């Protein structure tokens, strides 16, 4: 009897739509094992039915406990073939476990290049990928010198961090002094020149040989840096027309960073006024929570199944034609909207594909609820956005 591939999922229950990874892998004949810090009874019935075995630890922050869990699985089921969470927060945990158990994928030695912005910048430069000027500063005085070299405004953010948290747009010497007084102790920061323009993303999946097998892009209505203080509802959409220069730059980054059998989320500036691309950062995981489902809605595919196929036999067989633009529109409970769910469903019955209650950790960015709609025409997407976001006067 042929041995099944052993895939260990770290924290498979969050976010909830990631449970589909387990379901599709089980369906494909993969042995799905899981480690998390919630009780088995808290797992959904779908997830329970997808797992061969579940091992609960008191906290995923305790490496010794998680190591023992993987050791138990290895003893009972044989060699562990994959360890993955697909979550930014657990990237380093995943890598340490892969290193210690000699499992395919990113290892401890790979973390610096995919977690620290200074190392990313080195790799961008080495591969002739345009990137903003800047570096890590070692002291307040060093930061003052660097700000003089770059000129205000500048962006200051953690050298290793996720998203736009703890990120500052500093417009003057006074702002810089204020930052020194309020910065987080023990955090290493990097300072970069401010790049006028919009952030665009290049997202997708590569097979185990590093071949790009699926790609998409995200366009936001506002920079994530503004989301936490902006009263405006955020929306973002996956366009069905992706610029050729973005695809070329994305492919170049995939090769530069040696990404294999992974989802990725690359961020670029589309600079003003020239409209050129400049690298911002890379993330070696799927884009945020609802977007992986939007890949499916925009393309009429099952990306979870395709991922399982790649893990099992390095096969991606979906026909990606991009028939739709797909939009996520956030709404806040604190606002009095002109159109309720029934209105939206009636007005856009053919376009509406999902209404989501946003998990608590994501609400500061993605609102309290989200509407997901699709349409082949980008003009119609903007009409939908205006309708869903309209508030009573």
């Amino acid at each position: 009897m042929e041995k099944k591939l052993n895939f260990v999922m770290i924290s498979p229950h969050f976010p909830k739509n990631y449970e589909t990874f387990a379901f599709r892998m089980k369906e494909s004949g993969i042995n799905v094992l899981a480690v998390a810090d919630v009780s088995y009874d808290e797992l959904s019935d779908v997830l329970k039915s997808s797992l061969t075995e579940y091992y609960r630890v008191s906290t995923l922050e305790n490496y010794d406990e998680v190591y023992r869990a993987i050791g138990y699985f290895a003893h009972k089921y044989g060699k562990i073939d994959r360890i993955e969470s697909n979550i930014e927060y657990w990237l380093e945990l995943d890598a340490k476990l892969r290193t210690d158990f000699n499992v395919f994928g990113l290892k401890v030695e790979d973390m610096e290049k995919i977690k620290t912005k200074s190392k990313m910048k080195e790799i961008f430069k080495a591969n002739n990928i345009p990137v903003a000027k800047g570096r890590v500063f070692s002291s307040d005085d060093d930061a003052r010198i660097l700000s003089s070299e770059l000129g205000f405004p500048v962006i200051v953010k953690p050298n290793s961090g996720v998203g736009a948290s703890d990120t500052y747009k500093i417009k003057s010497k006074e702002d810089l002094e204020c930052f020194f007084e309020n910065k987080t102790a023990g955090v290493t920061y990097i300072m970069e020149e401010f790049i006028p323009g919009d952030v665009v993303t290049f997202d997708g999946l590569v097979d185990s040989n590093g071949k790009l097998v699926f790609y998409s892009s995200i366009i936001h209505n506002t920079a994530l840096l503004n989301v936490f203080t902006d009263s405006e509802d955020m929306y973002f959409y996956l366009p069905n027309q992706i610029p050729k220069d973005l695809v070329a730059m994305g492919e170049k980054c995939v090769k530069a960073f040696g990404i294999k059998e992974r989802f990725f989320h690359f961020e670029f500036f589309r600079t003003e006024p020239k409209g050129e691309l400049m690298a911002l950062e890379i993330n070696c995981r799927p884009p945020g929570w609802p977007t992986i489902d939007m890949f499916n809605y925009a393309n009429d595919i099952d990306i979870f199944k395709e991922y399982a196929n790649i893990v099992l036999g390095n096969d991606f067989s979906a026909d990606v034609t991009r028939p739709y633009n797909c939009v996520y529109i956030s709404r806040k409970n604190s606002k009095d909207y002109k159109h309720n769910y029934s209105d939206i469903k009636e007005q856009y019955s053919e376009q509406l594909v999902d209404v989501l209650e946003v998990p608590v950790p994501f609400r500061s960015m993605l609102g309290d609820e989200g509407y997901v709609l699709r349409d082949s025409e980008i003009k119609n997407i903007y009409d939908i956005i205006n309708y869903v976001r309209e508030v009573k006067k």
Side-chain angles (χ1 to χ4, degrees), residues 86-99:
N86 279 311
I87 299 172
E88 179 81 31
Y89 189 82
W90 301 122
L91 276 178
E92 289 174 287
L93 172 62
D94 296 343
K96 185 165 176 53
L97 290 168
R98 290 192 207 102
T99 302

Side-chain angles (χ1 to χ4, degrees), residues 6-233:
N6 291 320
F7 193 112
V8 175
M9 294 187 70
I10 304 296
S11 190
H13 63 291
F14 185 84
K16 184 171 176 54
N17 59 332
Y18 281 24
E19 294 179 358
T20 313
F21 281 117
F23 184 79
R24 292 302 186 214
M25 285 192 286
K26 165 113 184 261
E27 198 175 54
S28 300
I30 295 171
N31 203 34
V32 186
L33 310 163
V35 183
D37 52 11
V38 298
S39 72
Y40 182 74
D41 290 340
E42 292 179 66
L43 304 182
S44 73
D45 290 340
V46 169
L47 183 54
K48 288 177 183 176
S49 69
S50 304
L51 301 179
T52 301
E53 190 165 354
Y54 176 70
Y55 192 113
R56 182 188 182 183
V57 294
S58 63
T59 171
L60 288 171
E61 304 284 358
N62 186 325
Y63 184 75
D64 288 341
E65 274 195 84
V66 182
Y67 180 91
R68 286 196 295 271
I70 307 301
Y72 166 79
F73 286 149
H75 176 75
K76 185 172 181 179
Y77 298 100
K79 185 181 186 311
I80 302 302
D81 300 289
R82 299 290 188 276
I83 300 173
E84 185 60 70
S85 67
N86 279 311
I87 299 172
E88 179 81 31
Y89 189 82
W90 301 122
L91 276 178
E92 289 174 287
L93 172 62
D94 296 343
K96 185 165 176 53
L97 290 168
R98 290 192 207 102
T99 302
D100 288 346
F101 286 90
N102 192 28
V103 173
F104 173 87
L106 294 170
K107 304 292 200 301
V108 170
E109 60 266 25
D110 299 312
M111 287 297 98
E112 185 182 14
K113 71 179 182 182
I114 67 167
K115 290 287 291 181
T116 64
K117 297 172 178 65
S118 56
K119 188 64 177 180
M120 290 177 200
K121 198 179 291 290
E122 289 179 19
I123 294 174
F124 288 140
K125 290 178 179 178
N127 288 273
N128 296 314
I129 297 170
V131 64
K133 297 176 183 176
R135 59 173 174 81
V136 168
F137 53 88
S138 57
S139 65
D140 292 357
D141 283 342
D142 190 26
R144 293 183 183 103
I145 293 169
L146 182 55
S147 66
S148 297
E149 294 173 357
L150 297 174
F152 293 109
V154 294
I155 299 295
V156 173
K157 54 192 174 184
N159 187 38
S160 178
V162 180
S165 60
D166 205 16
T167 297
Y168 305 86
K169 182 179 179 182
I170 295 176
K171 302 177 182 179
S172 64
K173 292 181 179 179
E174 292 73 22
D175 283 354
L176 186 59
E177 296 303 317
C178 184
F179 161 74
F180 294 149
E181 294 176 7
N182 295 283
K183 66 183 178 180
T184 305
V187 172
T188 299
Y189 289 92
I190 187 169
M191 182 185 294
E192 296 179 334
E193 62 177 330
F194 174 75
I195 303 296
D198 296 321
V199 174
V200 297
T201 77
F202 186 72
D203 313 288
L205 176 64
V206 295
D207 70 12
S208 57
N209 296 322
K211 177 185 175 183
L212 182 64
V213 292
F214 171 80
Y215 62 85
S216 183
S217 181
I218 302 171
I219 297 176
H220 293 86
N221 68 314
T222 184
L224 295 184
L225 181 59
N226 301 328
V227 168
F228 299 104
T229 56
D230 197 339
S231 62
E232 184 180 17
D233 293 322

Side-chain angles (χ1 to χ4, degrees), residues 292-310:
I292 198 162
D293 288 323
M294 293 169 68
F295 288 164
N296 292 335
Y297 295 138
N299 295 281
D300 280 336
I301 63 173
D302 187 338
I303 198 72
F304 298 100
K305 180 179 179 181
E306 297 302 330
Y307 176 77
N309 290 341
I310 286 175

